């Protein structure tokens, strides 16, 4: 793993693209957690690295209160806006890094990490999370890919977005090594979180699997998905942002002149860890 340090520009400029570009978590995810953990509207949820509240807002009505924390203030602005738009009033948003927890936030019935744990000091955060759980509480680690679907040969109602060509287009502007804030990730993000959780005093995991599904996507949504990535955040393109977007849109038009795409989403896996 290449040495990489977090910096505040990791998702700079991406927040406004995230809600539209990322495919939503299915209600089946919330239903599965509700069944497995016996959620009944009581207790509190802490979503760590919540972004614009994609998971926080899905789960909020299963708890008395849902708290989302994130290091990017623009993500929290989007989360607050979406909570207001959808009439969800039991949420609280806190601007902080996960490493700054517990920050006086109290204890929680469920703590979630959804596409966020790899950006953190994982041993430190896992240990803190364990200390913040109510008796009988759990952590849920959500394995998902929401910016794009899977490739395949099966017929879909519309063309798939040309993901490989999009990746090559990004590389033609930003270079072959994956960018991440002011640094890069030559080997990608960290894995092996199971060892981290166990070392922090968790047992498990118990795994829940949510099947993939076919979704319809527009050109604007696919463009937003690209800009929602830390590896293609708008600030990385500098003065060439407009040129890159024009080429991206042309590539998408060449693939689907109608501007409509189909995506087969990946299966979502949820690892439940208990102290």
């Amino acid at each position: 793993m290449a040495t990489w340090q977090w910096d505040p520009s990791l998702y700079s400029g991406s927040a406004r693209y995230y809600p539209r570009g990322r495919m939503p978590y299915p209600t089946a995810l919330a239903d599965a957690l509700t069944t497995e953990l016996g959620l009944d509207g009581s207790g509190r949820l802490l979503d760590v690295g919540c972004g614009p509240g994609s998971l926080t807002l899905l789960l909020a009505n299963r708890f008395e209160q849902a708290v989302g924390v994130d290091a990017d203030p623009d993500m929290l602005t989007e989360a607050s806006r979406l909570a207001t738009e959808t009439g969800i009033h039991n949420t609280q948003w806190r601007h902080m890094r996960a490493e700054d927890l517990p920050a006086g936030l109290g204890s929680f019935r469920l703590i979630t990490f959804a596409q966020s744990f790899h950006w953190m000091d994982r041993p430190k955060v896992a240990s803190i999370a364990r200390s913040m759980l109510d008796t009988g509480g759990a952590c849920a680690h959500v394995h998902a890919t929401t910016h794009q679907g899977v490739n395949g040969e099966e017929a879909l109602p519309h063309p798939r977005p040309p993901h490989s060509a999009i990746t090559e287009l990004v590389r033609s502007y930003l270079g072959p090594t994956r960018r991440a804030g002011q640094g890069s990730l030559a080997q990608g993000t960290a894995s092996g979180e199971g060892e981290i959780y166990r070392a922090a005093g968790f047992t498990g995991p118990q795994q829940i699997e949510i099947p993939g599904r076919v979704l319809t996507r527009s050109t604007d949504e696919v463009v937003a998905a690209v800009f929602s990535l830390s590896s293609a955040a708008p600030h990385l393109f500098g003065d060439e942002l407009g040129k890159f977007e024009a080429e991206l849109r042309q590539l998408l038009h060449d693939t689907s002149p109608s501007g409509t795409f189909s995506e087969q989403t990946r299966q979502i896996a949820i690892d439940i860890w208990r102290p």
Side-chain angles (χ1 to χ4, degrees):
M1 180 70 184
T3 300
W4 175 82
Q5 292 184 334
W6 180 88
D7 70 77
S9 70
L10 182 61
Y11 281 98
S12 181
S14 292
R16 70 187 184 94
Y17 295 102
Y18 211 105
R20 187 171 192 183
R22 296 297 181 110
M23 292 177 282
Y25 293 114
T27 303
L29 188 160
D31 292 341
L33 283 173
T34 296
T35 298
E36 184 55 43
L37 300 177
L39 303 180
D40 56 5
S42 65
R44 304 170 72 217
L45 165 71
L46 176 64
D47 188 15
V48 185
C50 66
S54 307
L55 182 62
T56 329
L57 296 173
L58 178 67
L59 295 176
N61 66 355
R62 317 292 171 118
F63 296 88
E64 292 177 15
Q65 184 186 50
V67 180
V69 302
D70 202 274
D72 188 316
D74 292 338
M75 290 287 187
L76 298 179
T77 297
E78 284 295 307
S80 180
R81 178 184 66 82
L82 291 168
T84 299
E85 285 185 358
T86 53
I88 299 174
H89 303 298
N90 66 331
T91 55
Q92 180 184 128
W93 311 103
R94 296 291 298 271
H95 177 216
M96 67 176 69
R97 293 192 65 196
E99 292 81 355
D100 295 329
L101 292 167
L105 293 182
S107 62
F108 296 86
R109 183 172 184 178
L110 177 64
I111 298 177
T112 53
F113 298 91
Q115 304 182 79
S116 62
F117 194 53
H118 53 271
W119 296 123
M120 303 168 188
D121 180 339
R122 298 183 298 164
K124 179 178 182 178
V125 173
S127 180
I128 294 172
R130 186 180 183 278
S131 73
M132 296 177 72
L133 286 173
D134 293 331
T135 300
C139 280
H141 186 110
V142 180
H143 301 269
T145 303
T146 54
H147 70 281
Q148 68 178 50
V150 296
N151 294 322
E153 299 299 325
E154 66 273 20
L156 297 179
H158 306 284
R160 287 180 168 85
H163 295 305
S164 295
I166 292 171
T167 297
E168 289 307 311
L169 179 61
V170 171
R171 288 175 176 170
S172 73
Y173 278 82
L174 302 182
T177 302
R178 177 177 171 175
R179 299 287 297 276
Q182 300 303 309
S184 61
L185 291 171
Q187 304 300 321
T189 53
S191 58
E193 61 279 341
E195 296 178 3
I196 306 292
Y197 282 110
R198 293 187 186 97
F202 287 93
T203 61
Q206 177 182 358
Q207 192 169 85
I208 301 172
E209 296 181 349
I210 310 298
R213 62 205 197 280
V214 175
L215 298 177
T216 300
R217 307 275 279 161
S218 69
T219 292
D220 287 344
E221 288 171 332
V222 177
V223 170
V226 174
F227 288 139
S228 77
L229 296 169
S230 61
S231 57
H235 74 98
L236 295 174
F237 295 92
D239 294 339
E240 293 193 307
L241 178 61
K243 180 183 176 185
F244 168 78
E245 182 171 346
E247 289 194 38
L248 174 59
R249 288 183 177 277
Q250 184 61 55
L251 173 61
L252 295 174
H253 177 77
D254 292 344
T255 302
S256 178
S258 70
T260 304
F261 299 87
S262 290
E263 289 270 34
Q264 171 67 54
T265 68
R266 298 178 188 274
Q267 176 181 328
I268 296 173
I270 310 168
D271 290 340
I272 297 177
W273 296 91
R274 294 181 171 88

